[in-house]
Amino acid sequence: MQTPNVPNYLPQAILVTLFCCLPFGIVAIIYASQVNSHLAAGNHAAAASASEKAKLWCWVSFGLGLAVLVLYLLLFLLPLILGS
């Protein structure tokens, strides 16, 4: 029997934790670290669920990091560029 390939998103979770949004990145790391444990135990449904949650929290962290960057650019750098 072939085991399904379930991505764990751990590298992505670590990167978004470091560069985007720490709290939500930690949540992504927690879910990503559960994927391989569930697969080793043979619980494919729980592994798939943890994988989807890790992916979701990676995107949430990335989106928040991007939003903060855009807000920073608009509030602080744009007035400097325009000379106000």
Side-chain angles (χ1 to χ4, degrees):
M1 183 168 132
Q2 184 179 1
T3 60
N5 184 14
V6 181
N8 64 11
Y9 297 102
L10 190 57
Q12 294 91 332
I14 292 170
L15 289 173
V16 295
T17 301
L18 292 174
F19 297 115
C20 295
C21 183
L22 183 68
F24 297 133
I26 291 173
V27 175
I29 288 175
I30 291 170
Y31 282 118
S33 66
Q34 293 175 357
V35 173
N36 291 344
S37 302
H38 289 305
L39 282 176
N43 193 347
H44 301 293
S49 175
S51 176
E52 286 299 314
K53 288 176 185 175
K55 183 170 83 171
L56 170 75
W57 286 106
C58 282
W59 280 112
V60 168
S61 180
F62 178 76
L64 256 131
L66 190 63
V68 167
L69 177 66
V70 168
L71 188 63
Y72 174 80
L73 291 174
L74 288 174
L75 292 177
F76 295 106
L77 294 182
L78 193 59
L80 291 175
I81 293 171
L82 296 177
S84 298

